[in-house]
Amino acid sequence: MEFIYLTEEIRQQIDKYVEKFPVRDQAVIQSLHLIYSKYRDIEDYHMKELSEYLQVPLNVIEGIVSFYDMFRVKRGARHHIRVCKNLPCHIMGCKNLLKMFEKLTGEKANEYSKNGRFYIETVECIGSCSIAPAFMIDDDLYNGLNITEEKLNEILSKYT
Ligand code: FES
């Protein structure tokens, strides 16, 4: 197999992880970190190449990616919106926030991005309960309390 995303440099680093860990599966997380830091995303094609290279079943890799929130799969979009729906954020109005996001972006939460600009994901907690309802766009954290559609649109316009 020809590797497109697992460059020579990445493969060399992965080889070092493999040497370090007795079980190949243990090299998966480290390898995913490496891929994520290069591409800022983990897509299906990254996982397929990693599966092939490490000889670890694809479903094992997919399971790890979906378990760890840090590997934020953007599902075909340039920007990743995360809206917390856990209780504190729920009480403070995350439902309304989510509706506004869907309306303004034309995307449905947790569905593959249609226009390639935003992927909206509902998450359990982003560790910012004190500013509930909290949301993130890529690495930027926001407080959505009493946010208006106009303000939200203004925020979204920064992400092209
Ligand atoms: S509950 Fe929403 S950020 Fe923690």
Coordinates of all heavy atoms in Angstrom, one line a residue, residues 101-143:
F101 N -27.1 27.6 16.0 CA -26.0 27.2 15.2 C -26.5 26.4 14.0 O -25.9 26.7 12.9 CB -25.1 26.2 16.0 CG -24.0 26.9 16.8 CD1 -23.8 26.7 18.1 CD2 -23.0 27.7 16.1 CE1 -22.8 27.3 18.8 CE2 -22.0 28.3 16.8 CZ -21.9 28.1 18.1
E102 N -27.4 25.6 14.2 CA -28.0 24.8 13.0 C -28.6 25.8 12.0 O -28.4 25.6 10.8 CB -29.0 23.8 13.5 CG -28.3 22.7 14.3 CD -29.2 21.5 14.6 OE1 -30.4 21.8 14.9 OE2 -28.8 20.4 14.7
K103 N -29.3 26.8 12.5 CA -29.9 27.7 11.5 C -28.9 28.5 10.8 O -28.9 28.7 9.6 CB -30.8 28.6 12.4 CG -31.6 29.6 11.5 CD -32.5 30.5 12.3 CE -33.0 31.6 11.5 NZ -33.5 32.7 12.3
L104 N -27.9 29.0 11.5 CA -26.9 29.9 10.9 C -25.9 29.2 10.0 O -25.5 29.8 9.0 CB -26.1 30.7 12.0 CG -26.9 31.7 12.8 CD1 -26.1 32.2 14.0 CD2 -27.3 32.9 12.0
T105 N -25.6 28.0 10.3 CA -24.7 27.3 9.5 C -25.3 26.4 8.4 O -24.7 26.0 7.4 CB -23.8 26.3 10.3 OG1 -24.7 25.3 10.9 CG2 -23.0 27.1 11.4
G106 N -26.6 26.1 8.6 CA -27.3 25.2 7.6 C -26.9 23.8 7.8 O -27.1 22.9 6.9
E107 N -26.3 23.5 8.9 CA -25.8 22.1 9.2 C -26.6 21.5 10.3 O -27.2 22.2 11.1 CB -24.3 22.1 9.7 CG -23.3 22.7 8.7 CD -23.1 21.8 7.5 OE1 -23.6 20.7 7.4 OE2 -22.4 22.3 6.6
K108 N -26.7 20.2 10.3 CA -27.4 19.5 11.4 C -26.3 18.9 12.4 O -25.3 18.4 11.9 CB -28.2 18.3 10.9 CG -29.5 18.7 10.4 CD -30.6 17.9 11.2 CE -31.9 18.6 11.2 NZ -32.3 19.3 12.4
A109 N -26.6 19.1 13.7 CA -25.6 18.6 14.7 C -25.3 17.1 14.5 O -26.3 16.3 14.2 CB -26.1 18.9 16.1
N110 N -24.1 16.8 14.6 CA -23.6 15.4 14.6 C -23.8 14.7 13.2 O -23.8 13.5 13.2 CB -24.3 14.5 15.7 CG -24.0 15.2 17.1 OD1 -22.9 15.5 17.4 ND2 -25.1 15.3 17.9
E111 N -24.0 15.5 12.2 CA -24.0 14.9 10.9 C -22.9 15.5 10.0 O -22.4 16.6 10.2 CB -25.4 15.3 10.2 CG -26.5 14.5 10.8 CD -27.8 14.8 10.0 OE1 -27.8 15.4 9.0 OE2 -28.9 14.4 10.6
Y112 N -22.5 14.6 9.1 CA -21.3 15.0 8.2 C -21.6 16.4 7.6 O -22.8 16.6 7.2 CB -21.2 14.0 7.2 CG -19.8 13.9 6.6 CD1 -18.9 13.0 7.1 CD2 -19.4 14.7 5.6 CE1 -17.6 12.9 6.6 CE2 -18.1 14.7 5.1 CZ -17.2 13.8 5.6 OH -15.9 13.7 5.1
S113 N -20.7 17.2 7.6 CA -20.8 18.6 7.1 C -21.3 18.6 5.6 O -20.7 17.9 4.8 CB -19.5 19.4 7.2 OG -19.7 20.6 6.6
K114 N -22.3 19.4 5.3 CA -22.8 19.5 3.9 C -22.0 20.5 3.1 O -21.7 20.2 2.0 CB -24.3 19.9 3.9 CG -25.2 18.7 4.2 CD -26.7 19.2 4.1 CE -27.1 19.9 5.3 NZ -28.4 20.3 5.5
N115 N -21.7 21.6 3.7 CA -21.0 22.6 2.9 C -19.5 22.7 3.2 O -18.8 23.5 2.6 CB -21.7 24.0 3.1 CG -21.5 24.5 4.6 OD1 -20.5 24.2 5.2 ND2 -22.4 25.3 5.0
G116 N -19.0 21.9 4.1 CA -17.5 21.8 4.3 C -17.0 22.9 5.2 O -15.8 23.0 5.3
R117 N -17.8 23.8 5.7 CA -17.3 24.8 6.5 C -17.3 24.5 8.0 O -16.4 24.6 8.7 CB -18.0 26.1 6.3 CG -17.4 27.3 7.0 CD -18.1 28.6 6.5 NE -17.8 29.7 7.4 CZ -18.6 30.7 7.6 NH1 -19.8 30.8 7.0 NH2 -18.3 31.7 8.5
F118 N -18.5 24.0 8.5 CA -18.7 23.7 9.9 C -19.2 22.3 10.1 O -20.1 21.8 9.4 CB -19.7 24.7 10.5 CG -19.2 26.1 10.6 CD1 -19.7 27.1 9.9 CD2 -18.1 26.4 11.5 CE1 -19.3 28.4 10.0 CE2 -17.7 27.7 11.6 CZ -18.3 28.7 10.8
Y119 N -18.6 21.7 11.1 CA -19.2 20.4 11.6 C -19.6 20.7 13.1 O -18.8 21.2 13.9 CB -18.2 19.3 11.6 CG -18.6 18.1 12.4 CD1 -19.7 17.4 12.2 CD2 -17.7 17.6 13.4 CE1 -20.1 16.3 12.9 CE2 -18.1 16.5 14.2 CZ -19.3 15.9 13.9 OH -19.6 14.8 14.7
I120 N -20.9 20.5 13.4 CA -21.4 20.8 14.7 C -21.5 19.5 15.5 O -22.1 18.5 15.0 CB -22.8 21.4 14.7 CG1 -22.8 22.6 13.8 CG2 -23.3 21.8 16.1 CD1 -24.2 23.2 13.5
E121 N -20.9 19.4 16.7 CA -21.0 18.2 17.5 C -21.5 18.6 18.9 O -21.1 19.6 19.5 CB -19.6 17.6 17.6 CG -19.6 16.3 18.4 CD -18.2 15.8 18.6 OE1 -17.2 16.6 18.5 OE2 -18.0 14.6 18.8
T122 N -22.4 17.8 19.4 CA -22.9 18.0 20.8 C -22.0 17.1 21.6 O -21.7 15.9 21.3 CB -24.3 17.6 21.0 OG1 -24.5 16.3 20.5 CG2 -25.3 18.5 20.3
V123 N -21.5 17.6 22.7 CA -20.5 16.9 23.6 C -21.0 16.9 25.0 O -21.9 17.7 25.4 CB -19.1 17.5 23.5 CG1 -18.5 17.3 22.1 CG2 -19.1 19.0 23.8
E124 N -20.4 16.1 25.8 CA -20.9 15.9 27.2 C -20.4 17.0 28.1 O -21.1 17.5 28.9 CB -20.4 14.5 27.7 CG -21.3 13.4 27.2 CD -22.8 13.7 27.4 OE1 -23.2 14.3 28.5 OE2 -23.6 13.4 26.5
C125 N -19.1 17.4 28.0 CA -18.6 18.5 28.9 C -17.3 18.9 28.3 O -16.5 18.1 27.9 CB -18.4 18.0 30.3 SG -17.9 19.3 31.4
I126 N -17.1 20.2 28.2 CA -15.8 20.7 27.7 C -15.0 21.3 28.9 O -14.1 22.2 28.6 CB -16.0 21.6 26.5 CG1 -17.0 22.7 26.7 CG2 -16.3 20.8 25.3 CD1 -17.2 23.7 25.5
G127 N -15.4 21.0 30.1 CA -14.6 21.4 31.2 C -14.8 22.9 31.5 O -13.9 23.5 32.1
S128 N -15.9 23.5 31.1 CA -16.0 25.0 31.3 C -17.4 25.3 31.8 O -18.1 26.2 31.4 CB -15.8 25.7 30.0 OG -14.6 25.4 29.4
C129 N -17.8 24.5 32.7 CA -19.2 24.5 33.3 C -19.5 25.9 33.9 O -20.6 26.3 34.0 CB -19.4 23.4 34.3 SG -18.7 21.9 33.8
S130 N -18.4 26.6 34.4 CA -18.7 27.9 35.0 C -19.1 28.9 34.0 O -19.6 30.0 34.4 CB -17.4 28.3 35.7 OG -16.4 28.4 34.7
I131 N -18.9 28.7 32.7 CA -19.4 29.6 31.7 C -20.5 29.0 30.9 O -20.6 29.3 29.7 CB -18.3 30.2 30.9 CG1 -17.5 29.1 30.2 CG2 -17.4 31.1 31.7 CD1 -16.7 29.6 29.0
A132 N -21.3 28.2 31.5 CA -22.4 27.5 30.8 C -23.4 28.6 30.3 O -23.7 29.6 31.0 CB -23.1 26.5 31.8
P133 N -24.0 28.3 29.1 CA -23.7 27.2 28.2 C -22.5 27.5 27.4 O -22.3 28.5 26.8 CB -25.0 27.2 27.3 CG -25.4 28.6 27.3 CD -25.1 29.2 28.6
A134 N -21.6 26.5 27.5 CA -20.3 26.7 26.8 C -20.2 26.1 25.5 O -20.9 25.1 25.2 CB -19.2 26.1 27.7
F135 N -19.5 26.7 24.6 CA -19.2 26.1 23.3 C -17.8 26.4 22.8 O -17.2 27.3 23.3 CB -20.3 26.5 22.2 CG -20.3 27.9 21.8 CD1 -19.5 28.3 20.7 CD2 -21.0 28.9 22.5 CE1 -19.5 29.6 20.3 CE2 -21.0 30.2 22.1 CZ -20.3 30.6 21.0
M136 N -17.4 25.6 21.9 CA -16.0 25.8 21.3 C -16.1 25.8 19.8 O -16.9 25.1 19.2 CB -15.1 24.7 21.7 CG -14.6 24.8 23.2 SD -13.4 23.5 23.5 CE -11.9 24.4 23.0
I137 N -15.3 26.7 19.2 CA -15.1 26.6 17.8 C -13.6 26.4 17.6 O -12.8 27.2 18.0 CB -15.6 27.8 17.0 CG1 -17.1 28.1 17.4 CG2 -15.4 27.7 15.5 CD1 -17.7 29.3 16.7
D138 N -13.3 25.3 17.0 CA -11.9 24.8 17.0 C -11.3 24.9 18.4 O -11.8 24.3 19.3 CB -11.1 25.6 15.9 CG -11.6 25.4 14.5 OD1 -12.3 24.4 14.3 OD2 -11.5 26.3 13.7
D139 N -10.2 25.7 18.6 CA -9.6 25.7 19.9 C -10.1 26.9 20.8 O -9.6 27.1 21.9 CB -8.1 25.8 19.8 CG -7.5 24.6 19.2 OD1 -8.0 23.5 19.4 OD2 -6.5 24.7 18.5
D140 N -11.1 27.6 20.2 CA -11.6 28.8 21.0 C -12.8 28.5 21.8 O -13.8 27.9 21.3 CB -11.9 30.0 20.0 CG -10.7 30.3 19.1 OD1 -9.6 30.2 19.5 OD2 -11.0 30.6 17.9
L141 N -12.7 29.0 23.0 CA -13.8 28.7 24.0 C -14.7 29.9 24.1 O -14.2 31.1 24.2 CB -13.2 28.3 25.3 CG -14.2 28.1 26.5 CD1 -15.0 26.8 26.3 CD2 -13.4 28.0 27.8
Y142 N -16.1 29.7 24.1 CA -17.0 30.8 24.3 C -18.1 30.5 25.3 O -18.4 29.4 25.6 CB -17.7 31.1 22.9 CG -16.8 31.5 21.8 CD1 -16.3 30.6 20.9 CD2 -16.6 32.9 21.6 CE1 -15.5 31.0 19.9 CE2 -15.8 33.3 20.6 CZ -15.2 32.3 19.7 OH -14.4 32.7 18.6
N143 N -18.6 31.6 25.8 CA -19.7 31.5 26.7 C -21.0 31.9 25.9 O -21.0 33.0 25.3 CB -19.5 32.5 27.9 CG -20.7 32.6 28.8 OD1 -21.7 31.9 28.6 ND2 -20.6 33.4 29.9

